Amino acid sequence: MPELFDRVDALIASRAVLPPPAERKRLRQAHGFTLDEVAEALQVRRATVSAWESGKTEPRPPERDAYARLLSKLLQLYPADPSVTTPVHDTAAPATLASTPAPAPETRTLSTIPASEAAHTAVAENTAPRPITTAASTAASRPARLTSPSSTSRRPAAGKAAPETTPASADPRFANGPLAVVDVDDNGHVQAYCVGGLVLDVPAKSIPALVDWTLKEARLGQPKLSGPGKDGDPLIVLTEAALERYGLPATLTDEEKLAGRIPEGHKVIKQLARADWKLTKRGFGPWARIYRPAQGSERNCVQLCIPSWHALDSRHWGEAAQLPAAELARILGVYASRVMTPRGSTAVTGLELMTALHPPTYAVRDEATGRFRKADSKNPGSLGEHPVDCAPCEAPDGHPLLHDLPRFHVRGPAEKLFEEAYDWARPLTDDECMRRHLVGIDVNMAFAAGANGLIVGLGEPTHVKQPVFDPKLPGSWLVDLSHVDLSRVKVAKDKWTDLEAGLLPSPFTPKGERPEGPAWYATPTVAYAVELGYDVAPLEAYVRYDNGRYLDAWYNRLRDAHLATMADLGVDADLTPADFLAAMDGYKDRDPELAIVVSAIKATVKGGLGKLRERPRGEGWKPGQPWRALSRPTWRPDIRAAVISRTRINLHRKIVKHAAFTGHYPVAILSDCVVYASNGPSPLDFLPYRDGKPLPGGFKLGINPGLVKHEGSQSVLWGEEVRERFNAPELNLARYIKDGTVTDIDNGE
């Protein structure tokens, strides 16, 4: 009989009812799940889950029953919006599931926002965002007002009650999301604009009271991103009106900007001290952190962000600092849900994300007391709690390891590891001058793609003399690569090809010059020389036997954040080349706020990697002395060098594949942008697509990291005129290809 029951269960599972493909994707994204996480839970491939969500395939038993169960649970947490019609699908979810109400809030009262206030689209709360609808496709919905249980709304209730719904959250401790923007309305009421369109009444009349309210009543914060990690502290963003209400200046003076904080004797800092609140070493500045020592596992910490003090760099956040409170909450909320709650600049957040995904320690149960304590060893796969010294060749100028060098000594390639991005250009050939256009293509999130799957060192380096090169061993190698001849290289196993070496940059130097002797290189650079078909014989090396794929989780989260936000802007990952180019045309105008999020995500990648080799930032530093960043376990110039090396090599490999197949060579390269001379203004005019398929190993149009997009096109006459005007035959045209505006000329060109 049990066998018959099992057969019946299997039969039912084979017909498990599923929601439509678009709804499956919405539910996954609503809870912050990545494709990889769902695939791992169901023990299938990532591509399989993606196919289920696109409707290309349908799940089969036994995965179908488990997948239906997952979607059913998510649908209870994130019911479908009844105002949005969904196409009928043969596996549509039952009406009983679609109508399941969201969990009722605890003792909250709701009223509507007055009609005089601007309406804004509701967005992600905490790590469980609902899909964001672009402004071009739907009108923004009016947010509901949420009143704190301990405070009373001072606004009269509207004639019609608001729907009794509040943002759903996977963690009730953070029911109102990761952050709030605190503002003062026209009637003098202090309000906190949360993600999801919620607005809290704020009873606090001082900064210490605001911190207390945030921790005790606001229910703000973000669950930890990894098992051994810590929950994210709540973020409070203060508008200029809120600054005035709480006795803080709307802007900083020149002296305060230089110091990065307000004076220690300011009345607000005294108020915090009297209330036993502490500030971190960076003081009360644009990104102030206010805390009390943790009580057990409970943290008492609130992060402040002050946009008018230039907390949100306009290079990365655009005009976010000037937006109304609700719109700013939307932007920061999307970023927090898909990346993490900002901890400072995008660079700081990028570095903090690495630590949040790979915490340095973990807890173990003490057999004697039964309580949990910190483990004696570091968390596997992390960098640990304590910094390690870099190798001398990896140390930047002024590092304490170099204090014995003579003053004004300039280290050459044989003394210093110099892995940087490309800045290379050459004159056009006669054939290229006969073409009409210069077309730039840009690699999407190139440095993130360079980090994907990269093995990096986790511990300290070991010095080895006359080592045998191992491409799987991360480190820095002193080796002579001047014998590598780009006129004849191996493009596949046992397949050699002839190239015009004078039209290609060297893959071993940022300026594209051929090496002249031994120099220090990161592992990916030396491995590429071997890949091209040449032997290498390192003279010495600093290798790291403790290693791993430390940046994989970091890459995955930033990749998913980028793809999800671009999809909200109408640029999907599975578009045809022509459709992709059309979708990218003017994508920022479809929802300028989400375009800001895309910019911030990209800046998080570059800035986070840059922080791995942060240089001194004033503070009276002198060459040969340590600076503050050296005390961090995440100060790892070797990891930064390895990522940049791999990114540059990935680009050169595509260039070689393209040249070998088409005979076309780049005329300029700047970091992740490559310029080609073309007969037409589109990338499709020179990229060798056949039946919609790209050249294997070459450039491919698409939004995924590592694929390319159209950067810009100008005429060949424009390029020649610019070079002639500035008397610079090798002016890097990739710097100006986007809009054709030449704003600066480097190095006197």
Side-chain angles (χ1 to χ4, degrees):
M1 187 63 70
E3 294 180 0
L4 292 178
F5 288 167
D6 292 341
R7 293 177 185 175
V8 171
D9 291 341
L11 180 62
I12 295 174
S14 69
R15 297 294 186 271
V17 182
L18 299 174
E23 181 69 356
R24 302 170 195 174
K25 183 176 181 179
R26 181 189 77 82
L27 291 171
R28 174 180 62 79
Q29 291 181 339
H31 205 65
F33 285 145
T34 65
L35 288 170
D36 292 315
E37 290 173 327
V38 175
E40 183 179 358
L42 299 177
Q43 296 183 344
V44 297
R45 296 186 302 114
R46 181 180 186 273
T48 302
V49 180
S50 179
W52 294 346
E53 291 185 354
S54 64
K56 295 179 180 178
T57 63
E58 287 296 317
R60 297 175 177 271
E63 292 84 5
R64 185 183 181 94
D65 186 37
Y67 189 44
R69 181 180 178 85
L70 169 67
L71 296 176
S72 174
K73 295 290 186 182
L74 293 178
L75 195 54
Q76 295 178 33
L77 293 173
Y78 315 104
D81 188 343
S83 65
V84 179
T85 58
T86 305
V88 178
H89 192 269
D90 60 352
T91 57
T96 53
L97 287 180
S99 61
T100 305
E106 299 179 9
T107 63
R108 300 178 184 177
T109 59
L110 294 168
S111 61
T112 57
I113 291 283
S116 60
E117 291 193 15
H120 303 285
T121 304
V123 294
E125 74 276 359
N126 201 23
T127 55
R130 291 188 180 184
I132 301 165
T133 308
T134 60
S137 62
T138 184
S141 60
R142 193 175 300 279
R145 162 175 289 284
L146 176 64
T147 305
S148 172
S150 63
S151 61
T152 303
S153 175
R154 292 168 292 186
R155 295 188 173 199
K160 186 177 180 181
E164 291 187 0
T165 57
T166 58
S169 174
D171 192 326
R173 296 175 301 158
F174 312 129
N176 297 332
L179 57 89
V181 180
V182 175
D183 195 15
V184 181
D185 68 6
D186 295 337
N187 297 321
H189 302 152
V190 183
Q191 303 166 316
Y193 290 80
C194 305
V195 297
L198 297 176
V199 182
L200 297 168
D201 274 341
V202 181
K205 299 185 182 302
S206 66
I207 290 295
L210 178 63
V211 174
D212 276 322
W213 173 83
T214 301
L215 293 172
K216 295 177 181 178
E217 301 177 29
R219 300 174 73 180
L220 297 172
Q222 188 173 44
K224 57 189 177 182
L225 298 181
S226 64
K230 300 175 182 177
D231 294 330
D233 298 322
L235 174 66
I236 296 294
V237 185
L238 298 176
T239 65
E240 291 190 38
L243 292 173
E244 182 180 356
R245 171 60 61 91
Y246 291 122
L248 290 165
T251 59
L252 298 179
T253 66
D254 291 340
E255 184 178 351
E256 290 168 345
K257 289 179 183 178
L258 186 62
R261 66 188 76 186
I262 58 177
E264 295 295 325
H266 194 280
K267 64 178 182 179
V268 170
I269 296 181
K270 292 180 179 179
Q271 290 173 0
L272 291 168
R274 286 196 296 268
D276 294 327
W277 289 106
K278 300 179 182 296
L279 290 164
T280 57
K281 290 182 179 180
R282 60 181 169 183
F284 203 119
W287 290 94
R289 187 174 289 276
I290 304 171
Y291 72 99
R292 285 181 182 141
Q295 301 293 328
S297 61
E298 293 296 323
R299 289 168 57 84
N300 293 305
C301 185
V302 173
Q303 176 89 51
L304 297 185
C305 169
I306 306 177
S308 64
W309 293 5
H310 302 290
L312 302 175
D313 192 327
S314 60
R315 293 173 299 175
H316 311 139
W317 291 101
E319 302 300 321
Q322 283 74 48
L323 291 175
E327 296 179 19
L328 180 56
R330 181 195 182 210
I331 290 173
L332 294 177
V334 175
Y335 180 88
S337 66
R338 294 178 175 175
V339 180
M340 71 180 302
T341 305
R343 303 283 185 88
S345 66
T346 50
V348 170
T349 305
L351 195 68
E352 290 285 339
L353 180 62
M354 296 180 195
T355 303
L357 294 169
H358 283 291
T361 61
Y362 63 101
V364 294
R365 187 182 296 276
D366 192 314
E367 296 182 359
T369 63
R371 297 180 179 179
F372 282 96
R373 61 173 177 81
K374 187 167 63 175
D376 296 329
S377 59
K378 73 172 185 176
N379 185 29
S382 76
L383 300 180
E385 282 189 290
H386 307 290
V388 296
D389 284 335
C390 61
C393 62
E394 299 163 350
D397 294 336
H399 192 279
L401 287 175
L402 310 175
H403 71 278
D404 290 333
L405 289 179
R407 191 179 183 185
F408 305 121
H409 174 74
V410 178
R411 293 187 294 163
E415 299 173 278
K416 179 181 180 180
L417 177 69
F418 191 66
E419 295 283 11
E420 298 295 340
Y422 267 129
D423 185 355
W424 169 87
R426 63 170 176 81
L428 273 65
T429 65
D430 292 342
D431 178 64
E432 290 166 342
C433 287
M434 297 300 293
R435 297 172 190 168
R436 299 182 61 185
H437 300 277
L438 296 173
V439 183
I441 52 176
D442 181 79
V443 182
N444 293 307
M445 297 181 70
F447 294 101
N452 182 29
L454 178 64
I455 300 175
V456 300
L458 302 178
E460 57 188 21
T462 300
H463 189 212
V464 184
K465 288 282 190 179
Q466 303 294 326
V468 175
F469 177 69
D470 182 353
K472 296 182 179 180
L473 189 59
S476 300
W477 309 77
L478 180 63
V479 58
D480 188 352
L481 299 180
S482 60
H483 64 289
V484 177
D485 184 4
L486 293 181
S487 64
R488 182 166 178 77
V489 297
K490 187 184 293 185
V491 294
K493 186 177 181 180
D494 299 328
K495 182 180 179 181
W496 292 76
T497 189
D498 295 326
L499 300 172
E500 295 188 46
L503 302 182
L504 282 173
S506 167
F508 310 127
T509 61
K511 290 293 185 180
E513 302 164 346
R514 186 168 180 168
E516 297 180 352
W520 286 99
Y521 303 101
T523 297
T525 303
V526 185
Y528 186 56
V530 176
E531 179 184 328
L532 292 176
Y534 292 87
D535 294 330
V536 297
L539 303 176
E540 59 178 305
Y542 288 90
V543 296
R544 288 170 169 83
Y545 296 109
D546 178 12
N547 55 64
R549 293 167 63 157
Y550 174 71
L551 295 173
D552 273 12
W554 182 81
Y555 161 79
N556 288 334
R557 186 154 182 93
L558 290 166
R559 175 205 60 198
D560 291 346
H562 179 250
L563 293 181
T565 311
M566 290 301 296
D568 289 333
L569 286 165
V571 186
D572 293 314
D574 54 357
L575 295 173
T576 64
D579 289 342
F580 168 72
L581 292 175
M584 286 294 294
D585 187 18
Y587 77 94
K588 295 182 179 180
D589 298 331
R590 294 175 200 141
D591 191 329
E593 294 177 9
L594 286 184
I596 291 175
V597 177
V598 172
S599 173
I601 292 171
K602 294 179 179 178
T604 303
V605 173
K606 290 187 177 181
L609 293 172
K611 277 282 185 179
L612 292 170
R613 199 193 68 164
E614 184 177 358
R615 303 301 303 275
R617 305 180 66 181
E619 301 177 341
W621 175 82
K622 295 181 180 179
Q625 296 179 346
W627 57 92
R628 185 185 302 181
L630 299 186
S631 63
R632 295 194 318 249
T634 49
W635 193 84
R636 293 295 301 272
D638 57 298
I639 295 180
R640 173 188 177 273
V643 173
I644 294 177
S645 164
R646 192 165 187 244
T647 302
R648 193 182 67 247
I649 294 306
N650 285 346
L651 183 61
H652 196 275
R653 183 183 293 111
K654 289 180 172 64
I655 290 171
V656 167
K657 294 278 187 180
H658 184 87
F661 187 80
T662 67
H664 294 167
Y665 295 80
V667 299
I669 308 174
L670 182 67
S671 187
D672 47 11
C673 176
V674 188
V675 176
Y676 281 91
S678 171
N679 290 322
S682 168
L684 289 176
D685 291 319
F686 68 92
L687 292 181
Y689 273 86
R690 286 186 176 178
D691 299 325
K693 296 182 180 180
L695 172 69
F699 295 107
K700 178 182 178 181
L701 289 167
I703 199 59
N704 279 287
L707 305 188
V708 299
K709 64 179 184 295
H710 185 203
E711 178 69 3
S713 296
Q714 305 296 331
S715 68
V716 169
L717 291 178
W718 164 85
E720 292 299 276
E721 188 274 332
V722 168
R723 285 178 164 177
E724 183 178 350
R725 188 198 325 164
F726 294 101
N727 192 26
E730 297 185 3
L731 177 68
N732 195 332
L733 299 175
R735 192 184 306 275
Y736 316 106
I737 195 70
K738 189 167 188 175
D739 59 11
T741 303
V742 182
T743 56
D744 65 303
I745 300 297
D746 295 333
N747 300 323
E749 295 179 348

